[in-house]
């Protein structure tokens, strides 16, 4: 893109305000400025967007489509400016116009179309695909409401609707002319044709239109613009339809409303699967519109038989949520393109690849067979046939697995098991960190692994270093560039050159100043939001992620209560002040998770105002944790809490973001923490607690007794008794549920078991922090090795091992 100068940008902003909005710059509000800049960026993007599409068509290249129910995009203005190469000049232009850049960026409402890691990963992948010149696009849903907005009232989480589309969304283009019709329900009729083959016709289906809204995905300074296409559900418009003599306008409205519900809101439950029919509708809506679109594109771009689809298309499904892509592609190939079963199956299983993101059994999707059959009769028939053939295949060709058929069947105990469907119907199955893939192979999916060993592979997650370092921490990025040059921006592995400076005291001093400045900024923000003053010299100890028992925010709280108890007994205790910072949303129906949020807030309200402890502890819960809040917190973190029960966190990506910004990890040997540890080495990370093998051994063989720990460890007993006696509650029974969950359910996530090693590890953290140079050295060492966790590396691995696409 041609570089606009600061002067040109200023002129364009001023003129555009006048001509588009009739506003003089002196009277312009931040919102006016925001839309004007977004529109300038769009004007720069549009020609390249067209150009990119044209190129992909001309070159006849293979494309990847990333199907995901979630894309957690966050804000786009600053990152689009960055990737277009306009950020510096535009910031300068705004400053010269007397405007506040931060306030202008803050006008944009986060696109919160995801729950957490899985959705943010999808957004990082799109950024890397475009930045590496790959033809790859996202398909998702344009939810009217994204993930709920969280308010904390009297310590409790309250959920409010996320009205993210109330102001016009600057980055989307509605493409009505490319709408696609989706069919639900109806009757399926089967005919035998003269040649003996079968033909299927559907009648009385409920039709819904899928309208695409396209969002440009801007590659980093390379003029590549890919597309994130989000589908919105609307009624089929036919003149006078639905208007019979008996029907009233409100029936029409009712009908319209029920259709719009399909893209109405994002399900906020990422911890348990409950088979809600609307969620199933959403999944099929995404899948059917996307697959139809992909086939249409293929036919437009290539003059070849659909049998060659795998040469030109690969579809990655983000978890099982879009796994109906398998029967949907089969349906289109057979019923519309007249493929035989075998030909359709051959194509489908060469096109679809599946990523697994969790082994938590509660989250594994299973749909009641009756529900699927009623909503999607033809799709159900196809799944049934896939299942029959699969089970027969085992029976005849894999006698060693015969008795395992009930555990492997796609349809079993009246449920359709989506992970099994996804494995059987795809050519690649990947986990998202080494340990996670190993557990899939050895445990969770071992039977399938024995059947299809070549399908299983690992792709350790990554994050885009452009957003998570360059954009969110410009001071650190600048310092890095000053010392090792700018090559790391294109090749993040070159951050490794920082190793030469881990003992360079003048560099470390500058690094320290950057961290300090970032901490001051966060402290100001915290003061602004909560009224609480935090000491920017204290250790910023950060845990930001969805609230879930397995992520063990509770262990963190127990540490805080322990320290508080210590300080109450000995107020002069020599300790470095700590600021514990939390951000976490709980699924609205997840009672225990909400109790933990309340506990954090109640502990905060006691600790933060207790004069006895002389400000040595502060506990901050920042409400409504989302991408934009993460962007503020991460550059200021000293400690990154990654303390899941080993074996439970598939990968984690917050661990990578914080490492890249110089925070040190306190973590278990779980997910990608293990790969972080392998790189930085034991001296540069704080590892504690049970290993995955130990955890799994306890689960299978017993031998853990939480009550023993309660009885023998005074610190633990004191904390649990404090909860049981309502010491942190406003009434006596508050927090009893937490107490009983640990003692009556034998502490299912090993909080008590890992308590002591966790406390001891934090003592080591404190010791390390006292030695400033050592700490800074560790911190820079972490940044130096963080290049491996750029999603550019991850995407390159997907490309080489799975997608086999070429850069354009
Ligand atoms: C699960 C479900 C269950 C059914 C209802 C709707 C719903 C929506 C989302 C999810 C997501 C569960 C899986 C997930 O988010 N996994 C996370 O994926 C991250 C990216 O790979 C990874 O870093 C985290 O460790 C993993 O927990």
């Amino acid at each position: 893109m041609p570089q606009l100068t600061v002067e040109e940008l200023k002129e364009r902003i001023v003129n555009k305000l006048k001509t588009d909005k009739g506003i003089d710059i002196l009277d312009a509000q931040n919102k006016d400025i925001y839309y004007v800049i977004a529109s300038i960026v769009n004007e720069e993007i549009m020609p390249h967007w067209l150009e990119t599409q044209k190129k992909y068509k001309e070159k006849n290249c293979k494309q990847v489509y990333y199907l995901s129910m979630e894309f957690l995009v966050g804000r786009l203005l600053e990152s689009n400016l960055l990737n277009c190469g306009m950020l510096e000049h535009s910031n300068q232009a705004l400053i010269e116009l007397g405007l506040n850049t931060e306030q202008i960026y803050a006008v944009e409402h986060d696109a919160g179309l995801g729950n957490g890691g899985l959705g943010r990963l999808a957004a990082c992948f799109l950024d890397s695909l475009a930045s590496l010149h790959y033809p790859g696009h996202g398909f998702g849903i344009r939810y009217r409401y994204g993930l709920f907005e969280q308010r904390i009232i009297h310590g409790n989480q309250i959920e409010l609707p996320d009205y993210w589309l109330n102001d016009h969304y600057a980055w989307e283009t509605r493409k009505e002319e490319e709408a696609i019709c989706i069919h639900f329900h109806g009757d399926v009729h089967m005919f035998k044709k003269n040649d003996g083959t079968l033909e299927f016709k559907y009648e009385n289906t409920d039709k819904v239109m899928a309208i695409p809204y396209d969002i440009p995905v801007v590659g980093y300074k390379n003029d590549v613009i890919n597309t994130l296409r989000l589908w919105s559900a609307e009624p089929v418009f036919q003149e006078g339809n639905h208007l019979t003599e008996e029907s009233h306008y409100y029936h029409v409205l009712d009908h319209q409303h029920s259709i719009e519900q399909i893209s109405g809101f994002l399900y906020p439950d990422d911890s348990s699967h409950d088979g809600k029919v609307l969620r199933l509708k959403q999944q099929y809506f995404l899948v059917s519109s996307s697959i139809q679109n992909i086939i249409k594109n293929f036919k437009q771009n290539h003059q070849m038989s659909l049998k060659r689809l795998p040469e030109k298309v690969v579809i990655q499904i983000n978890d099982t949520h879009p796994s109906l892509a398998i029967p949907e592609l089969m349906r289109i190939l057979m019923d519309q393109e007249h493929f035989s079963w075998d030909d359709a199956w051959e194509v489908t299983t060469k096109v679809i690849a599946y990523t697994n993101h969790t082994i938590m059994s509660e989250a594994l999707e299973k749909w009641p067979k009756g529900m699927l059959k009623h909503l999607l009769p033809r799709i159900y028939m196809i799944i049934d046939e896939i299942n029959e053939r699969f089970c027969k295949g085992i029976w005849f060709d894999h006698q060693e697995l015969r008795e395992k058929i009930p555990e492997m069947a796609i349809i079993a105990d009246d449920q359709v098991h989506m992970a099994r469907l996804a494995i059987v119907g795809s050519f690649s199955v990947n986990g998202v960190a080494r340990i996670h893939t190993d557990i899939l192979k050895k445990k969770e999916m071992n039977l399938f692994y024995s059947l299809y060993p070549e399908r299983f592979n690992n792709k350790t997650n990554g994050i885009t270093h452009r957003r998570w370092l360059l954009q969110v921490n410009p001071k650190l990025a600048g310092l890095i560039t000053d010392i090792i040059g700018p090559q790391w921006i294109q090749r993040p592995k070159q951050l490794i050159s920082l190793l030469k400076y881990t003992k360079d005291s003048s560099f470390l001093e500058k690094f320290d100043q950057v961290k300090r400045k970032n901490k001051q900024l966060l402290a100001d923000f915290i003061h602004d939001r909560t009224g609480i003053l935090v000491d920017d010299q204290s250790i910023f100890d950060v845990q930001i992620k969805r609230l879930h028992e397995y992520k063990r925010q509770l262990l963190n709280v127990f540490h805080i209560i322990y320290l508080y108890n210590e300080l109450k007994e000995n107020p002069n205790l020599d300790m470095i002040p700590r600021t514990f910072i939390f951000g976490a949303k709980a699924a609205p129906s997840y009672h225990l998770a909400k109790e933990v949020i309340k506990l954090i807030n109640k502990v905060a309200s006691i600790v933060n105002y207790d004069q006895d402890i002389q400000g040595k502890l502060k506990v901050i819960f920042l409400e409504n944790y989302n991408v934009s809040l993460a962007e503020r917190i991460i550059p200021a973190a000293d400690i990154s809490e990654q303390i899941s029960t080993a074996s439970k966190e598939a990968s984690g990506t917050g661990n990578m973001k914080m490492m890249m910004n110089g925070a040190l990890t306190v973590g278990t040997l779980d997910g990608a923490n293990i790969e972080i540890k392998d790189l930085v080495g034991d001296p540069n990370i704080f590892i504690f607690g049970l290993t995955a093998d130990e955890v799994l051994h306890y689960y299978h063989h017993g031998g853990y007794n939480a009550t023993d720990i309660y009885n023998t460890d005074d610190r633990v007993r004191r904390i649990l008794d404090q909860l049981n006696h309502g010491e942190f509650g406003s009434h006596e029974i508050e927090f009893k549920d937490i107490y009983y969950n640990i003692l009556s359910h034998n502490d299912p996530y090993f909080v008590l078991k890992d308590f002591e090693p966790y406390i001891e590890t934090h003592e080591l953290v404190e010791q390390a922090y006292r030695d400033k140079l050592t700490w800074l050295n560790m911190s820079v060492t972490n940044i130096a090795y963080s290049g491996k966790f750029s999603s550019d590396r991850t995407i390159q691995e997907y490309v080489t091992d799975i997608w086999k696409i070429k850069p354009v």
Side-chain angles (χ1 to χ4, degrees):
M1 274 174 214
Q3 276 286 308
L4 292 168
T5 64
V6 175
E7 284 309 313
E8 283 166 340
L9 271 165
K10 275 160 62 181
E11 211 178 292
R12 229 156 118 185
I13 294 168
V14 173
N15 285 339
K16 231 177 184 331
L17 272 169
K18 270 195 211 132
T19 53
D20 292 9
K21 310 221 163 207
I23 300 177
D24 191 284
I25 179 96
L26 296 172
D27 303 321
Q29 307 281 311
N30 286 331
K31 206 177 203 170
D32 303 318
I33 309 277
Y34 166 80
Y35 279 106
V36 159
I37 304 172
S39 136
I40 294 172
V41 176
N42 272 323
E43 285 165 8
E44 297 298 309
I45 289 175
M46 291 296 168
H48 296 284
W49 201 357
L50 260 179
E51 197 54 40
T52 305
Q53 281 165 294
K54 243 174 72 190
K55 235 191 212 139
Y56 291 165
K57 197 169 171 171
E58 272 166 28
K59 299 237 157 146
N60 230 330
C61 52
K62 183 175 182 184
Q63 313 212 22
V64 59
Y65 297 98
Y66 200 79
L67 261 61
S68 177
M69 290 287 283
E70 309 192 5
F71 285 92
L72 191 41
V73 170
R75 292 180 181 143
L76 280 181
L77 178 54
E78 197 178 0
S79 84
N80 282 346
L81 281 166
L82 175 74
N83 286 9
C84 287
M86 295 167 68
L87 185 61
E88 263 178 56
H89 286 180
S90 116
N91 280 346
Q92 186 58 31
L94 292 173
I95 291 166
E96 290 182 19
L97 289 168
L99 299 163
N100 178 322
T101 53
E102 199 188 315
Q103 286 172 11
I104 290 165
Y105 298 139
V107 167
E108 182 168 344
H109 198 112
D110 268 46
L113 309 184
N115 273 287
L118 167 142
R120 182 55 232 176
L121 185 76
C124 284
F125 280 4
L126 293 184
D127 182 88
S128 286
L129 275 164
S131 296
L132 298 174
H133 298 81
Y134 285 118
H137 312 279
F139 276 119
I141 294 180
R142 181 181 180 269
Y143 300 105
R144 180 75 186 75
Y145 300 102
L147 187 63
F148 65 85
E149 190 181 316
Q150 179 195 53
R151 293 279 170 79
I152 301 296
I153 296 178
H154 304 309
N156 292 299
Q157 166 175 298
I158 305 294
E159 302 96 26
L160 300 175
D162 168 46
Y163 292 111
W164 77 289
L165 288 170
N166 255 18
D167 289 324
H168 162 68
Y169 187 57
W171 307 109
E172 64 181 9
T173 311
R174 179 180 164 96
K175 295 271 173 71
E176 221 165 82
E177 64 290 355
E178 294 185 48
I180 284 174
C181 187
I182 314 296
H183 298 258
F184 293 100
H185 303 292
D187 312 310
V188 182
H189 300 285
M190 193 165 70
F191 304 92
K192 209 168 199 158
K193 291 197 293 189
N194 290 339
D195 61 0
T197 59
L198 297 175
E199 186 170 324
F200 292 87
K201 290 237 163 74
Y202 328 136
E203 267 178 16
N204 306 319
T205 58
D206 296 333
K207 297 170 195 62
V208 175
M209 293 314 286
I211 317 287
Y213 285 74
D214 287 353
I215 298 173
V217 180
V218 183
Y220 183 72
K221 295 187 180 171
N222 65 0
D223 293 347
V224 172
I225 317 282
N226 289 337
T227 304
L228 168 57
R229 174 161 278 197
L230 300 181
W231 300 101
S232 178
E234 293 185 13
V236 178
F237 180 77
Q238 280 166 10
E239 208 129 347
N241 72 345
H242 316 304
L243 283 180
T244 61
E245 264 168 57
E246 316 82 78
S247 82
H248 295 284
Y249 75 96
Y250 47 81
H251 291 138
V252 178
L253 287 182
D254 234 23
H255 174 73
Q256 179 170 333
H257 179 74
S258 78
I259 283 175
E260 285 166 357
Q261 275 303 306
I262 296 174
S263 53
F265 70 94
L266 165 76
Y267 274 89
D269 211 333
D270 72 339
S271 42
S272 67
H273 163 81
D274 63 351
K276 290 268 194 320
V277 69
L278 180 55
R279 167 93 183 164
L280 183 59
K281 272 191 193 172
Q282 292 185 332
Q283 296 187 349
Y284 184 68
F285 175 75
L286 164 68
V287 156
S288 182
S289 49
S290 308
I291 301 283
Q292 290 189 56
N293 197 159
I294 290 167
I295 300 225
K296 198 164 92 190
N297 287 352
F298 175 86
K299 289 182 166 178
Q300 269 169 14
N301 293 349
H302 313 283
Q303 271 40 51
M304 53 169 91
S305 155
L306 267 167
K307 294 207 170 122
R308 294 175 62 188
L309 191 69
E311 292 169 36
K312 298 295 171 190
V313 167
V314 54
I315 297 171
Q316 190 71 40
I317 57 173
N318 200 17
D319 217 301
T320 53
H321 317 153
S323 54
L324 291 174
I326 293 160
E328 176 66 359
L329 183 52
M330 289 292 288
R331 179 187 72 80
I332 295 175
L333 293 176
M334 294 189 299
D335 298 359
Q336 290 174 6
E337 305 293 336
H338 311 291
F339 276 43
S340 67
W341 178 278
D342 289 335
D343 287 345
W345 187 244
E346 167 95 7
V347 168
T348 301
T349 51
K350 279 187 174 157
V351 163
I352 309 262
Y354 155 58
T355 305
N356 173 284
H357 294 267
T358 184
I359 57 158
M360 302 284 294
S361 52
E362 318 87 278
L364 288 183
E365 288 191 303
K366 298 184 271 292
W367 294 103
K369 170 172 133 173
M371 184 192 284
L372 224 156
K373 196 168 179 173
H374 178 67
L375 184 69
L376 306 164
R378 178 62 181 136
I379 292 295
Y380 179 79
M381 290 169 76
I382 294 171
I383 297 175
D384 197 29
E385 182 71 24
I386 296 174
N387 182 48
E388 284 293 313
R389 289 174 185 241
F390 171 66
C391 293
K392 271 193 197 134
I394 297 181
W395 184 265
F396 290 113
D397 305 335
H398 293 275
Q399 272 130 33
E400 75 286 0
L401 287 173
R402 270 189 185 176
E403 63 193 43
K404 301 290 182 189
I405 290 179
E407 290 168 57
M408 300 178 81
I410 296 166
I411 303 175
D413 33 84
D414 278 336
Q415 302 206 298
V416 182
H417 294 248
M418 304 313 273
R420 301 179 191 170
L421 173 65
I423 300 170
V424 173
S426 58
F427 68 91
S428 164
V429 177
N430 77 281
V432 291
R434 196 174 64 219
I435 183 182
H436 171 58
T437 303
D438 286 346
I439 293 175
L440 291 179
K441 288 196 209 169
K442 290 200 193 112
K443 308 253 147 77
E444 236 60 35
M445 298 181 167
N446 177 257
L447 295 174
F448 289 93
Y449 177 58
S450 69
L451 200 54
Y452 314 121
E454 71 295 340
R455 286 189 197 180
F456 284 76
N457 64 95
N458 176 245
K459 295 289 164 282
T460 298
N461 282 166
I463 56 167
T464 164
H465 61 288
R466 287 166 290 275
R467 180 181 286 255
W468 295 108
L469 175 51
L470 201 50
Q471 178 191 324
V472 306
N473 201 344
K475 291 188 200 70
L476 178 57
L479 179 63
I480 293 173
T481 299
D482 286 346
I483 191 126
I484 64 169
Q487 299 82 354
W488 67 274
I489 299 171
Q490 298 292 345
R491 308 207 172 288
K493 277 224 174 113
Q494 299 218 355
L495 285 169
I496 202 71
S497 309
L498 285 172
L499 285 184
K500 283 182 254 164
Y501 303 93
T502 52
K503 297 219 159 78
D504 175 331
S505 54
S506 117
F507 173 73
L508 292 181
E509 171 63 25
K510 286 184 198 140
F511 172 73
D512 188 34
Q513 279 165 12
V514 167
K515 185 59 95 179
R516 176 70 59 76
K517 185 75 202 157
N518 290 336
K519 287 169 75 175
Q520 279 163 3
L521 289 173
L522 181 60
D524 292 345
F525 177 81
I526 289 171
H527 183 243
D528 197 55
R529 286 294 157 98
T530 66
I532 299 167
L533 282 171
V534 304
D535 176 1
D536 58 36
Q537 310 250 27
S538 62
I539 300 175
F540 279 21
D541 187 330
V542 174
Q543 190 172 20
I544 43 175
K545 49 184 81 251
R546 282 298 284 259
L547 212 137
H548 199 292
E549 287 164 273
Y550 84 79
K551 295 179 188 280
R552 297 201 296 191
Q553 280 92 352
L554 195 57
L555 180 57
N556 191 344
V557 181
F558 279 16
H559 176 223
I560 297 171
I561 297 176
Y562 160 76
L563 289 175
Y564 179 65
N565 290 340
E566 290 288 288
L567 278 167
K568 287 298 273 187
E569 253 163 46
N570 178 7
N572 294 323
L573 192 78
D574 177 27
M575 69 170 275
I576 300 181
R578 287 247 189 171
T579 302
F580 293 91
I581 298 167
F582 292 90
K585 286 178 179 173
S589 59
Y590 193 165
H591 172 68
L592 264 173
K594 288 182 142 180
E595 287 291 297
V596 174
I597 290 184
K598 188 164 60 176
L599 178 62
I600 298 170
N601 281 292
K602 287 289 164 89
V603 169
S605 68
I606 292 171
V607 167
N608 292 345
Y609 301 100
D610 189 332
Q611 302 289 336
D612 294 351
I613 64 168
Q614 307 164 34
K616 286 179 184 158
L617 291 182
K618 286 279 156 71
V619 181
I620 306 295
F621 187 98
L622 288 169
E623 67 183 359
N624 200 35
Y625 178 60
N626 60 9
V627 172
S628 291
L629 194 53
E631 291 174 0
R632 286 182 182 276
I633 298 171
I634 287 169
D638 293 312
I639 284 294
S640 158
E641 298 276 355
Q642 307 301 337
I643 56 178
S644 52
T645 308
S647 79
K648 299 281 178 189
E649 189 69 273
S651 162
T653 43
N655 45 3
M656 304 169 184
K657 292 167 195 163
M658 285 203 263
M659 167 198 200
M660 199 175 266
N661 283 272
L664 303 185
T665 304
V666 170
T668 46
L669 285 174
D670 201 15
N673 297 351
I674 298 177
E675 288 159 76
I676 294 178
K677 185 207 86 148
D678 286 350
L679 283 175
V680 302
D682 289 318
N684 295 304
I685 190 167
F686 299 98
I687 297 290
F688 73 97
L690 292 174
T691 63
D693 282 342
E694 289 166 341
V695 167
L696 296 172
H697 192 272
Y698 279 131
Y699 279 140
H700 294 129
H701 302 100
Y704 171 52
N705 187 347
T707 309
D708 285 348
I709 300 184
Y710 173 83
N711 287 330
T712 50
D713 187 327
D714 297 343
R715 302 161 301 183
V716 165
R717 191 170 52 255
R718 168 120 195 249
I719 295 166
L720 280 169
D721 289 348
Q722 284 170 302
L723 292 181
N724 189 29
H725 299 145
E727 231 174 87
F728 297 106
S730 21
H731 49 81
E732 232 180 65
I733 59 161
E734 204 159 49
F735 306 125
K736 269 202 186 341
D737 289 350
I738 296 179
Y739 172 87
Y740 282 115
N741 186 256
I742 290 206
L743 290 181
S744 331
H745 296 155
N746 198 29
D747 185 18
Y749 296 94
F750 301 97
V751 173
L752 302 195
K753 182 79 185 161
D754 277 347
F755 176 79
E756 174 152 16
Y758 183 59
I759 300 296
E760 284 169 0
T761 300
H762 269 293
E763 281 160 8
L764 298 179
V765 167
E766 163 140 354
Q767 276 172 33
Y769 198 81
R770 285 176 193 276
D771 180 355
K772 195 88 220 183
L773 280 184
T774 307
W775 183 274
L776 295 171
N777 173 323
M778 293 169 76
S779 185
V780 172
T781 304
N782 270 267
I783 301 172
Y785 284 108
S786 70
K788 153 154 185 191
F789 298 105
S790 165
S791 43
D792 289 5
R793 186 267 313 150
T794 314
I795 285 298
Q796 194 49 57
E797 290 178 4
Y798 274 92
V799 165
T800 313
D801 301 344
I802 306 175
W803 300 339
K804 323 270 185 203
I805 54 174
K806 299 216 158 51
V808 175

